[in-house]
Amino acid sequence: MKIKFLVCGDVGCLGNGSQEIYERFQNHKQDWFEIKLTGCQGFCAAGPVIQVQPGDIFYQKVKPDDVEEIIEKARQHQVVDRLLWKDAKTREKFEKVHEIPFYRKQKKIVLNTNGQVDPESIDDYLDFGGYDALKKTLTLHPEDIVNEIIKSGLRGRGGGGFSTGRKWKSIFESEQTPKYVLCNGDEGDPGAFMDRSVMQGTPHLVLEGMAIAAYAVGSTQGYIYVRDEYPIAIKNLRIAIDAAKKKGFLGDQIMGTDFSFDIKIKRGAGAFVCGESSALMRSIEGKIGEPNEKYVHAAEAGLWKKPSLLNNVETFANVPYIILNGADKYRELGTEGSPGTKVFSLVGKIKNAGLIEVPMGIALREIIYDVGGGISKNRPFKAVQTGGPSGGCIPIDYMDLPIDYDSLTRVGSMMGSGGMIVMDDCDCMVELARYFTRFLMEESCGKCTPCREGLMQVYSILERITRGEGRMEDIELLEELGEYISESALCGLGKSAPNPLLSTLRYFKHEYIDHIENKHCTAGVCKRLTRFEIDPEACKKCGACYKACVVSAIEKADDGTYKINQDKCVKCGECRLSCNFNAITW
């Protein structure tokens, strides 16, 4: 068996030079090994990363000049010790992928082949059992497929968490034709890259899930809606569709049966609102992407007023596993109400940032400290934002909360598509609410008054509070406005838009009061309410803050101590970020 060098080719590693590393391997190509540029291997904070198979060897922070040594050591069946991942606290080194804490608690269904296959090679996907689920599907009755998905308890991974099987059944039972299968790859949440990574790294998994769905509900035409900001995902999907057609997995009379199904790619312009189901369908039709009232479901009148099945990328990517292994096996993972796994993009103030897939029901604490390695620079954990800009903030009191659809809803947040932004004590919750409200205000389609005007008013008040011009009555007004928008907005995006505001008011009202009454920003973020100082007791005189200050506001005295010149300070916070001794106070 040839040795395989698997070089991560996802955006994070590419940005740090993995393409050059891949080319360096190509320049030293020999008969006894293969080189593959793969999809995301997950551990973005350690990138560029490489796996060596067989052997499960994991190398981090690889540079092009390391390539020759990696090849030579592999030829001798040895490892490059200095490139192994090391625990910063215990100094212990880990050689195998599955031994590294970041990967140890993960369970991969959707990401199983991500990072293992060349996304441009259908043969690679076939080597991992690709399209076996579709082959099995074609031997079964469509209703049996629908019932298996219902039995699995799979819930839509795109935000709402609706039963996937029941949605499939309503399309299956419709007598109208044609029927459409639509894949929502429009991932507009700041900090989210789950769907992009799957489309980019394992495009055939998405195509296979869609083809199974099409067979089950009786569709012959599918569309993948993907934003134009994802050029690599679009390229890989196109290559995959062409290859699948040549192999007989898409197109007319698939694998010699009467079943025909084709998939087209629709590129979106990047509007956040086009992630909403009815807006997405209008956009595919070539119309302005804006939501419609939901008194008629897409199962009855969706795309071009025809029955339409819409699931997101991750939902379709779960389907082949369920068909191959059965609903009972799938339900062994997760919780009773939320079976299976969930993919998250774990970002923000976290040591091990990256793409993870964990069983539903895992505690938030396990994600933050076991998988994520804890908070950057060991600062105190403050909150985690889940569900994207329409989600909510979960405070430290819920660190042992099991992560599933129902638990997140109970604490005022939501699963969303899977963004998870970790925050520490240097993040201001009033500013956070202001930031997301502005994002949603600018992305609002403006069709309904509660969303269009309500968000504008909320933003105006939050902006005033962060400037130190807030009034105590603003808090009650914000709560009223948030509730009103939630109840009366036209679409799901509008109804969930006040979530960041309402969840920060629910758990961090004291920060709002501090801004208004004391003209003080607890986190040291709002510039008009912040004054940075250097604590002489904590300062080690290392000079890191002095070097980091871009406006030369930190002055050094003859005795080696440092002081911030308040007349020059622009409150950018770079001194705080650079200090390893928490000597910057505010």
Side-chain angles (χ1 to χ4, degrees):
M1 179 183 294
K2 283 187 177 182
I3 287 178
K4 294 177 184 175
F5 296 109
L6 306 174
V7 182
C8 180
D10 201 72
V11 174
C13 283
L14 284 175
N16 283 303
S18 67
Q19 180 68 39
E20 189 178 349
I21 293 168
Y22 173 73
E23 291 169 359
R24 192 71 70 91
F25 270 109
Q26 291 284 12
N27 292 339
H28 294 82
K29 196 170 183 179
Q30 299 175 42
D31 291 340
W32 57 273
F33 67 79
E34 298 177 61
I35 315 115
K36 294 184 187 297
L37 193 64
T38 72
C40 184
Q41 297 182 16
F43 204 165
C44 304
V49 300
I50 289 177
Q51 290 185 36
V52 184
Q53 300 290 3
D56 212 24
I57 309 298
F58 180 85
Y59 291 133
Q60 61 142 8
K61 306 285 185 188
V62 178
K63 294 182 172 55
D65 290 343
D66 297 325
V67 168
E68 289 183 44
E69 186 178 359
I70 291 172
I71 293 173
E72 181 57 25
K73 288 288 186 182
R75 192 182 64 78
Q76 299 172 15
H77 303 289
Q78 297 176 358
V79 299
V80 183
D81 187 73
R82 64 184 175 82
L83 295 177
L84 299 177
W85 187 83
K86 183 167 63 178
D87 188 299
K89 186 184 292 184
T90 65
R91 316 304 295 172
E92 180 184 2
K93 287 184 177 178
F94 295 85
E95 183 177 310
K96 310 285 187 185
V97 175
H98 65 273
E99 295 171 346
I100 297 172
F102 176 79
Y103 292 105
R104 200 183 294 156
K105 288 198 171 181
Q106 294 195 49
K107 178 65 182 175
K108 296 189 176 182
I109 291 176
V110 173
L111 301 179
N112 187 40
T113 53
N114 227 32
Q116 299 297 312
V117 302
D118 176 353
E120 297 186 10
S121 169
I122 190 171
D123 291 332
D124 266 17
Y125 185 63
L126 293 173
D127 287 343
F128 278 82
Y131 290 105
D132 284 353
L134 180 59
K135 293 174 188 172
K136 181 179 178 181
T137 294
L138 298 180
T139 66
L140 301 172
H141 191 278
E143 191 170 14
D144 294 336
I145 302 297
V146 172
N147 289 335
E148 195 67 12
I149 298 299
I150 292 174
K151 188 180 174 185
S152 74
L154 175 64
R155 297 173 67 168
R157 300 300 197 244
F162 301 117
S163 165
T164 302
R166 280 193 285 175
K167 187 184 280 190
W168 286 29
K169 187 173 184 180
S170 61
I171 313 289
F172 167 77
E173 291 176 340
S174 175
E175 295 181 355
Q176 288 191 67
T177 57
K179 301 176 182 179
Y180 296 105
V181 170
L182 313 176
C183 178
N184 187 348
D186 190 70
E187 190 175 48
D189 298 359
F193 51 91
M194 304 77 60
D195 288 348
R196 175 189 58 75
S197 294
V198 175
M199 290 186 289
Q200 191 169 311
T202 322
H204 285 287
L205 185 66
V206 183
L207 303 185
E208 187 175 7
M210 290 181 69
I212 292 169
Y215 176 79
V217 303
S219 170
T220 58
Q221 183 62 58
Y223 290 90
I224 301 177
Y225 189 88
V226 52
R227 54 181 47 219
D228 215 27
E229 299 161 14
Y230 289 171
I232 302 175
I234 292 171
K235 181 196 73 170
N236 289 354
L237 282 168
R238 283 177 171 158
I239 292 171
I241 289 171
D242 289 343
K245 286 180 179 176
K246 288 177 181 174
K247 292 278 188 182
F249 299 124
L250 287 178
D252 295 333
Q253 297 182 316
I254 292 173
M255 287 187 262
T257 67
D258 293 334
F259 171 55
S260 298
F261 180 63
D262 195 11
I263 295 176
K264 294 181 180 177
I265 295 172
K266 174 65 180 180
R267 299 186 312 178
F272 180 70
V273 72
C274 285
E276 197 275 341
S277 59
S278 59
L280 181 149
M281 292 180 206
R282 298 296 82 77
S283 182
I284 292 178
E285 292 172 353
K287 301 172 183 173
I288 295 173
E290 57 182 18
N292 287 346
E293 296 83 354
K294 292 295 183 62
Y295 53 82
V296 178
H297 292 290
E300 302 167 41
L303 186 66
W304 289 298
K305 305 295 183 187
K306 297 296 181 182
S308 302
L309 171 65
L310 175 67
N311 285 133
N312 85 327
V313 169
E314 188 182 342
T315 310
F316 282 123
N318 271 277
V319 169
Y321 179 91
I322 295 170
I323 299 302
L324 272 181
N325 299 279
D328 292 337
K329 182 72 175 175
Y330 186 75
R331 293 194 72 99
E332 289 177 4
L333 295 165
T335 64
E336 177 64 26
S338 302
T341 61
K342 181 74 190 80
V343 179
F344 291 101
S345 55
L346 185 62
V347 297
K349 306 289 183 62
I350 191 82
K351 291 178 180 173
N352 299 340
L355 186 72
I356 65 172
E357 184 175 4
V358 291
M360 290 278 198
I362 188 172
L364 178 60
R365 184 186 302 278
E366 293 178 272
I367 293 179
I368 300 296
Y369 288 99
D370 296 342
V371 178
I375 308 303
S376 301
K377 296 197 170 189
N378 297 318
R379 296 201 70 91
F381 171 85
K382 177 182 271 189
V384 60
Q385 164 93 0
T386 67
S390 303
C393 291
I394 304 171
I396 193 169
D397 296 347
Y398 293 101
M399 284 299 281
D400 293 311
L401 182 79
I403 300 300
D404 60 37
Y405 289 96
D406 305 317
S407 298
L408 289 175
T409 302
R410 276 198 296 274
V411 298
S413 188
M414 59 190 287
M415 185 71 75
S417 58
M420 191 172 273
I421 303 172
V422 181
M423 290 166 277
D424 65 13
D425 63 332
C426 296
D427 289 300
C428 171
M429 307 313 283
V430 182
E431 166 59 21
L432 178 100
R434 188 200 68 85
Y435 170 82
F436 281 122
T437 301
R438 178 176 178 176
F439 174 86
L440 293 161
M441 179 184 73
E442 292 176 344
E443 292 290 339
S444 170
C445 73
K447 189 172 182 177
C448 74
T449 305
C451 182
R452 184 185 66 243
E453 302 295 332
L455 289 178
M456 196 181 297
Q457 292 304 316
V458 169
Y459 174 74
S460 173
I461 296 170
L462 290 172
E463 175 78 8
R464 198 154 42 73
I465 294 175
T466 57
R467 290 201 308 264
E469 300 166 6
R471 302 183 287 264
M472 282 305 293
E473 56 266 32
D474 286 339
I475 294 178
E476 186 176 350
L477 181 56
L478 284 171
E479 289 172 332
E480 288 180 10
L481 278 168
E483 296 295 340
Y484 171 71
I485 297 169
S486 293
E487 292 172 3
S488 55
L490 176 66
C491 73
L493 293 183
K495 290 179 185 299
S496 59
N499 280 349
L501 168 71
L502 294 175
S503 65
T504 52
L505 280 170
R506 179 176 175 181
Y507 297 117
F508 299 96
K509 188 176 287 186
H510 58 281
E511 291 199 17
Y512 285 81
I513 294 172
D514 197 31
H515 279 66
I516 295 170
E517 285 198 333
N518 304 321
K519 309 302 179 191
H520 176 249
C521 176
T522 313
V525 171
C526 300
K527 291 187 177 181
R528 292 194 183 184
L529 310 180
T530 296
R531 177 187 173 95
F532 289 113
E533 301 278 5
I534 297 176
D535 179 356
E537 298 295 324
C539 180
K540 304 298 181 187
K541 302 178 183 177
C542 68
C545 60
Y546 179 79
K547 295 173 184 172
C549 184
V550 294
V551 293
S552 302
I554 297 180
E555 298 167 350
K556 183 178 181 180
D558 292 339
D559 61 357
T561 59
Y562 293 91
K563 185 178 179 182
I564 298 177
N565 184 331
Q566 299 297 332
D567 292 333
K568 291 184 178 179
C569 180
V570 295
K571 319 286 179 61
C572 66
E574 285 299 315
C575 54
R576 179 170 65 179
L577 288 174
S578 68
C579 183
N580 291 319
F581 307 103
N582 295 330
I584 306 295
T585 62
W586 57 93

